Structures are given as structure tokens and as C-alpha cells.
Amino acid sequence: MATAFGYPPVNVKEEDDHYEIRLYAAGYEKKDFKVTLEDNILLVAVDKDDQGENREGRRRRMDFQPGSFKRHFELNEKIDKESISAKYENGVLLL
């Protein structure tokens, strides 16, 4: 669910031996996410087309709709790029 700024909110936490990125992205499926690494930039992107949405019935209110977004994270030299992993669970993408 993209916010008014066009991307979902994120929390970044530094632990003693790693960083955690938690990206709040409810309404998606694991297969929707594309996570790539180029140089020192970690990119999380979703290219979501709502053309397949069920348009039957009368909608009275629609406060959210998962859409496309991109989030970039610049990695520092302390990051072991080979150990980056991702898990999507309960609407949160954990990197």
C-alpha cells in the first residue's frame, strides 16, 4: 500500500552484527517483490498493475489499494552483500 508519498513506510534498525530493514507492505504477495543489488544500492520494487482487480459490485469506500513502488537503500562498507536475505510475512518485508 503506497502512502501519499508514493512508497510504503520503512524502519531501519542497526544491531551489533547486522541491519534490519522492515518495510510495511500489506496487500502484496511474496512474488510481487523484486529485490536487487547494484553496487551499493539495494532496490526493493513492486510493479503492480490493478487491471486484474475484481471490479464487480459497487464500492462504497476504497481507502487503500496496493500499487507499484520503489525504495532505494544505500549500503555502507560494513554490509556483507552476500548475506542479504528477504522474507515477507504478515504484510512486512524483512531484509
Side-chain angles (χ1 to χ4, degrees), residues 42-55:
L42 180 67
L43 173 66
V44 178
V46 169
D47 187 16
K48 185 105 170 145
D49 184 5
D50 70 346
Q51 298 296 324
E53 289 284 319
N54 183 354
R55 302 247 184 233

Side-chain angles (χ1 to χ4, degrees), residues 10-47:
V10 66
N11 292 338
V12 178
K13 182 178 175 184
E14 182 176 1
E15 297 287 349
D16 289 336
D17 61 344
H18 68 280
Y19 290 89
E20 285 184 3
I21 298 173
R22 292 181 182 267
L23 188 134
Y24 177 73
Y28 297 96
E29 296 178 35
K30 182 179 175 180
K31 65 182 174 93
D32 294 332
F33 294 95
K34 182 178 180 185
V35 179
T36 57
L37 180 64
E38 186 172 323
D39 297 322
N40 287 335
I41 304 296
L42 180 67
L43 173 66
V44 178
V46 169
D47 187 16

Side-chain angles (χ1 to χ4, degrees), residues 72-86:
H72 299 82
F73 303 94
E74 186 172 350
L75 306 181
N76 64 31
E77 66 282 347
K78 295 192 293 185
I79 303 293
D80 177 8
K81 296 175 188 172
E82 299 298 318
S83 67
I84 296 174
S85 64

